[in-house]
Amino acid sequence: MTQPNFVVERRLHDAITRWLLETADVIPADTDPRLPTVQSPAPGTAARSGADL
């Protein structure tokens, strides 16, 4: 017997939601080398440009 589309969609939604909740606290052990290094000032010490003055 074939299941209606909404039943399949609901099962997939539930499975994905469960996976997201179970793995939400997993932090990668290493940083991704493909990401660029970002140099930014600490919060509250942002450099002001001439437009901000």
Side-chain angles (χ1 to χ4, degrees), residues 1-35:
M1 185 171 157
T2 306
Q3 294 181 340
N5 286 341
F6 65 90
V7 174
V8 174
E9 288 178 16
R10 181 61 187 206
R11 287 179 59 207
L12 290 171
H13 176 272
D14 291 347
I16 291 171
T17 302
R18 183 173 39 260
W19 176 81
L20 286 171
L21 292 172
E22 290 174 356
T23 62
D25 63 341
V26 177
I27 300 172
D30 298 320
T31 57
D32 190 338
R34 298 172 293 176
L35 297 176

Side-chain angles (χ1 to χ4, degrees), residues 40-48:
S40 58
T45 62
R48 297 178 64 163

